[in-house]
Every structure is written in C-alpha cells, then in structure tokens.
C-alpha cells in the first residue's frame, strides 16, 4: 500500500515525522469491504502508520544513535480506533519516537482521517541489521522515500 502515501517529512532532531496519504474509494483492495459504504480498515491505518514510523526510526537510529538498521513492524501497543474513516479519505499521519534502544524504537502515532482523529497508539519497530540479501528491498524503500520527500 506504499502508493497511498503522497508526501513525508522527517525531523530527526526531534524524532518525529509526518505524512499525507490519500485512499480512494475505488481501490481494488476495498471492492468487498463494506459495499455501498466504503470504510478504511483499521489494519490499513496501522500499516500506513508503520510506513511512517519505519523511516522515522531508521533516520533516528542513523543520526541520533549512530547505527544503520532496517525497521520492521514488531508490535502494536494500545492502539485505539477513535472514529471511522469513510472513503475516499485524506489522511494525516504523525509518528514521534517515544523510546529508543538499538534493537527497537517505539513510536507514538496518530492518524487523522478527513479532519478527525481516527487512530492513536504505540508502534514498536524492531531494528535489524541489514544484510546483502535485503539490498533490493532497502533500495526500493530509499526510492519510495525519495519520492515522498
């Protein structure tokens, strides 16, 4: 679902990032999801929040902790869905580092959909060392980030 993110900004000094996304009602993924009343699934909100938390965690680890790691979604903590998001939807996604260790970085995330806070909670990104076999995935991620910034 990487194509849904339109732009992203990361402020490494303060350990936070934000992104804008657009989710169309006619995306094939939602063909059978509440026909007649297209609704954004909570799992997709979590995925989009992780797509912001990951780059924030990677940049934070690189600049503030002086380690090069790859962030993968490790855990969801106390995420609450506060308001339904009907499609089409413009989303604002915010992530800020709340705790950091070399092996994991925790972020607090919020997602606003069509102007209302729809989700909030914690996401733990596991920080793994990169290897040669991950090189194609890392390159693809760097290319996506370059488009978003």
């Amino acid at each position: 679902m990487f194509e849904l993110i339109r732009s992203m900004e990361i402020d490494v000094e303060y350990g936070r990032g934000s992104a804008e996304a657009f989710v169309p009602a006619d995306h094939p993924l939602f063909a059978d999801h509440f026909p007649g009343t297209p609704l954004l699934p909570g799992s997709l909100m979590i995925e989009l929040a992780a797509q912001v938390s990951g780059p924030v965690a990677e940049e934070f680890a690189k600049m503030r902790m002086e380690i090069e790691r790859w962030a993968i979604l490790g855990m969801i903590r106390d995420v609450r869905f506060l308001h339904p998001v009907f499609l089409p939807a413009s989303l604002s996604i915010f992530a800020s580092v709340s705790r950091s260790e070399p092996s994991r970085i925790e972020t607090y995330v919020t997602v606003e959909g069509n102007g209302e806070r729809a989700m909030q909670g914690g996401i733990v990104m596991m920080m793994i060392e990169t290897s040669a076999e991950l090189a194609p995935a890392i390159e693809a991620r760097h290319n996506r980030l370059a488009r978003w910034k």
Side-chain angles (χ1 to χ4, degrees):
M1 300 308 321
F2 296 112
E3 74 274 8
L4 301 178
I5 300 247
R6 301 290 188 216
S7 65
M8 183 182 300
E9 292 182 17
I10 298 173
D11 184 343
V12 179
E13 183 177 346
Y14 293 101
R16 63 185 177 208
S18 63
E20 298 297 320
F22 179 75
V23 183
D26 62 352
H27 192 286
L29 180 67
F30 307 118
D32 295 328
H33 202 81
F34 302 107
T37 310
L39 181 67
L40 182 65
S43 57
L44 183 58
M45 272 192 268
I46 290 171
E47 172 61 28
L48 290 167
Q51 288 179 19
V52 177
S53 292
V56 168
E58 290 170 358
E59 292 293 322
F60 186 86
K62 187 176 186 179
M63 301 300 286
R64 301 286 300 274
M65 302 169 75
E66 299 180 352
I67 57 174
E68 183 105 21
R69 299 283 166 91
W70 175 254
I72 59 171
L73 179 59
M75 186 184 306
I76 300 162
R77 288 210 171 154
D78 196 28
V79 166
R80 296 172 190 239
F81 299 98
L82 307 170
H83 193 275
V85 177
F86 297 99
L87 301 176
S90 294
L91 303 174
S92 296
I93 306 157
F94 306 94
S96 60
V97 173
S98 55
R99 185 174 176 194
S100 62
E101 299 174 21
S103 63
R104 68 182 192 190
I105 293 180
E106 298 181 29
T107 62
Y108 183 78
V109 297
T110 60
V111 176
E112 295 176 2
N114 296 329
E116 297 189 72
R117 182 167 289 185
M119 186 193 93
Q120 66 187 30
I123 291 183
V124 179
M125 302 305 294
M126 303 309 295
M127 306 305 290
I128 62 172
E129 292 186 30
T130 59
S131 64
E133 56 200 28
L134 292 176
I138 293 169
E139 182 178 346
R141 180 156 208 186
H142 289 307
N143 290 340
R144 276 193 303 278
L145 284 173
R147 277 196 326 263
W148 292 339
K149 290 183 178 182

